[in-house]
C-alpha cells in the first residue's frame, strides 16, 4: 500500500484523512493496516514517531463505523494518562462525522465524567490498565461485546507493572476478539504476552527500535553540575523552537523550572508529583506555545507527542540506554529534523561511552555556547574571558 486511497475505507474516513493531510502511509501503517482491516491479529515493533496511532486507529474506526451495535466494541490500553488522552484526541479527529464515540478511562481525573461518556454510548474506550481494571472490578464497565483490543506501548505497560491488570482485562474480552499489539521491543515478557494472548499474528518490524532516529542530531556537552543551568540558557538563546528537557528527579525538575522562570524563560514541568490537571495544563500550554520549555521526568514524558519539538535536552543522563532512545524520540518526529543535547559531567564520561556503545551511535562533542562566545570576545578585545 503506497497511498491511503488504495484502502477499502468508508467515504467519511477517506475524506477525514485528506482533511488531516494524511496521504502517504508510514511504513508501519502500510504494513499493519491492511491485515488489521481483514481482522487479523497484528504484532508490530517500530520506533517512536512512526505513526503507530493511525496504524491501529484507522482499522478500529473502519470496523466500528461499519457496525452499529451499541456498547463498548473496542478497547485501547496505554501505559500513561497523557498518552491515553493523546490517542483519544488523535482518534477523535479521525472519527469526525462517523457515528463512533470515544471515551477515556484514566486515573487522576473525574470518574463521573468518564463514566458519563461511557454510559452515553461510547464504542471505543481508551484506558490505562489500572483505571479500567478498577471500573471492571466495580462492574461499571462491560467488555463482553468488545471485538478488538489494542495494546499500545506494551513493553512500557509491562515495565510499569500492569501485567496483572492487562491479564484481567483480556480475560473479560471475548476470546474471538482481534488483538493488535505495538511495542518498541519484543523482549521476553512481551513475547510471553504475545504467545498467550495473540492468535497467529501478522508480524511487522520497522527499522531498528533500539536506535534513535536518523534525523536527530546528537550532541554531547561536558559540563559540571553547577554550570548546567547556564549551558541550558545558552542553548535557549542560541537555538529557536520548543525545548523538552529531561531531569532525573521530580525535585530536580521543579528546581530547574524555577531557575528558568527566574531567567525569564517560560517553563512548565510534568512529573509524578503533579496532579493530573496540572500535568494536562502543562502539556497543553507547551503544545500551544505558552511555555517554550517543558521539564519532564521519564515516566511522565513517555509517549508524549508534541509537534515541532526542536530540541530535546538530557539535562541529567537517563538511567538506561533505552530511556535515551525514548527521550530522543520526542524530537525528529514524522520526518522533521531535531537536535538532542546531552549534558554529561566529567565523571559521567564512561556513561556516555556506554550509551554510545550499546546503541551504536556517536554523539558529537560540543562546547558550551556561552564559553565559545566569551572566548571570541576575549580574543577580539584582548581581555581574558570572565571565569
Ligand atoms: P508513534 O505512536 O509511532 O510514536 P504517532 O502515532 O504519535 O507516532 O505519530 C507521530 C506523528 O506523525 C503525529 O503527529 C502524526 O499526526 C504524524 N503522522 C502519522 N501518520 C502520518 C502520515 N501517514 N503522514 C503524515 N504524518 C503522519
Ligand atoms: Mg504511540
Amino acid at each position: 500500500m503506497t497511498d491511503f486511497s488504495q484502502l477499502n475505507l468508508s467515504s467519511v474516513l477517506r475524506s477525514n484523512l485528506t482533511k488531516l493531510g494524511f496521504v502517504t502511509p508510514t511504513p508501519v501503517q502500510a504494513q499493519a493496516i491492511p491485515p488489521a482491516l481483514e481482522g487479523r491479529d497484528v504484532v508490530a515493533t517500530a520506533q517512536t514517531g512512526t505513526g503507530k496511532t493511525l496504524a491501529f486507529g484507522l482499522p478500529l474506526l473502519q470496523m466500528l463505523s461499519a457496525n452499529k451495535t451499541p456498547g463498548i466494541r473496542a478497547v485501547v490500553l496505554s501505559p500513561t494518562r497523557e498518552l491515553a488522552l493523546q490517542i483519544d484526541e488523535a482518534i477523535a479527529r479521525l472519527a469526525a462525522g462517523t457515528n463512533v464515540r470515544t471515551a477515556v478511562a484514566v486515573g487522576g481525573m473525574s470518574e463521573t465524567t468518564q463514566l458519563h461518556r461511557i454510559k452515553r454510548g461510547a464504542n471505543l474506550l481508551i484506558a490505562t490498565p489500572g483505571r479500567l481494571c478498577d471500573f471492571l472490578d466495580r462492574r461499571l464497565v462491560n467488555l463482553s461485546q468488545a471485538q478488538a483490543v489494542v495494546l499500545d506501548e506494551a513493553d512500557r505497560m509491562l515495565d510499569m507493572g500492569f501485567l496483572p491488570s492487562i491479564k484481567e482485562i483480556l480475560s473479560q474480552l471475548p476470546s474471538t476478539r482481534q488483538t493488535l499489539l505495538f511495542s518498541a521491543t519484543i523482549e521476553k515478557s512481551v513475547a510471553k504476552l504475545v504467545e498467550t494472548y495473540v492468535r497467529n499474528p501478522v508480524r511487522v518490524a520497522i527499522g531498528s527500535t533500539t536506535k534513535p532516529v536518523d534525523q536527530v542530531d546528537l550532541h554531547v556537552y561536558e559540563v559540571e553540575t553547577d554550570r548546567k543551568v547556564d549551558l541550558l540558557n545558552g542553548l535557549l538563546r542560541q537555538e529557536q523552537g520548543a525545548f523538552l528537557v529531561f531531569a532525573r528527579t521530580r525535585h530536580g525538575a521543579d528546581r530547574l523550572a524555577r531557575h528558568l522562570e527566574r531567567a525569564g524563560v517560560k517553563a512548565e514541568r510534568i512529573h509524578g508529583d503533579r496532579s493530573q490537571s496540572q500535568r494536562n495544563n502543562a502539556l497543553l500550554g507547551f503544545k500551544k506555545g505558552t511555555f517554550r520549555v517543558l521539564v519532564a521526568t521519564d515516566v511522565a514524558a513517555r509517549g508524549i507527542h508534541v509537534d515541532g519539538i526542536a530540541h530535546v535536552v538530557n539535562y541529567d543522563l537517563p538511567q538506561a540506554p533505552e530511556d535515551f532512545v525514548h527521550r530522543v524520540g520526542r524530537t525528529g518526529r514524522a520526518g522533521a529534523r531535531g537536535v538532542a543535547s546531552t549534558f554529561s559531567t566529567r565523571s559521567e564520561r564512561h556513561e556516555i561511552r556506554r550509551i554510545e556503545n550499546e546503541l551504536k551511535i556517536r554523539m558529537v562533542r560540543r562546547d558550551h555556547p556561552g564559553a565559545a562566545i566569551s572566548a571570541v570576545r576575549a580574543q577580539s578585545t584582548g581581555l581574558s574571558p570572565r571565569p
Side-chain angles (χ1 to χ4, degrees), residues 6 20 25 31 38 46 63 82 93 110 116 133 136 151 154 167 184 331 337 374 386:
Q6 289 166 280
L20 294 167
Q31 293 187 39
E38 284 171 19
M63 182 265 282
E82 281 80 12
R93 272 199 300 270
S110 159
H116 183 69
C133 245
L136 288 172
L151 304 171
K167 281 183 170 168
T331 182
R337 283 209 76 80
S374 42
R386 270 187 296 148

Side-chain angles (χ1 to χ4, degrees), residues 1-7 9-30 33 49-59 61 86-96 305 307 333-335:
M1 198 228 329
T2 54
D3 192 307
F4 285 116
S5 63
Q6 289 166 280
L7 293 168
L9 296 170
S10 74
S11 54
V12 183
L13 285 177
R14 271 172 198 280
S15 93
N16 285 353
L17 282 171
T18 314
K19 276 186 213 149
L20 294 167
F22 298 130
V23 179
T24 316
T26 64
V28 69
Q29 292 163 1
I33 294 174
T50 51
K52 293 189 282 293
T53 316
L54 199 63
F56 61 78
L58 199 58
L61 287 178
Q86 283 194 4
I87 294 170
D88 181 47
E89 229 180 86
I91 292 191
R93 272 199 300 270
L94 197 60
H305 174 69
D307 275 319
R333 289 171 78 85

Side-chain angles (χ1 to χ4, degrees), residues 219-223 231 235 341-344 366-369:
H219 297 164
V220 60
Y221 293 84
E222 193 164 289
V223 56
L231 174 56
L235 292 178
S341 295
T342 300
F343 294 2
S344 151
R366 303 268 292 203
D367 289 324
H368 193 316

Side-chain angles (χ1 to χ4, degrees), residues 355-376:
I355 293 172
E356 289 186 322
N357 291 341
E358 274 191 38
L359 301 178
K360 301 190 176 58
I361 54 164
R362 178 111 184 108
M363 297 184 228
V364 178
R365 271 63 185 164
R366 303 268 292 203
D367 289 324
H368 193 316
I373 291 164
S374 42
V376 171

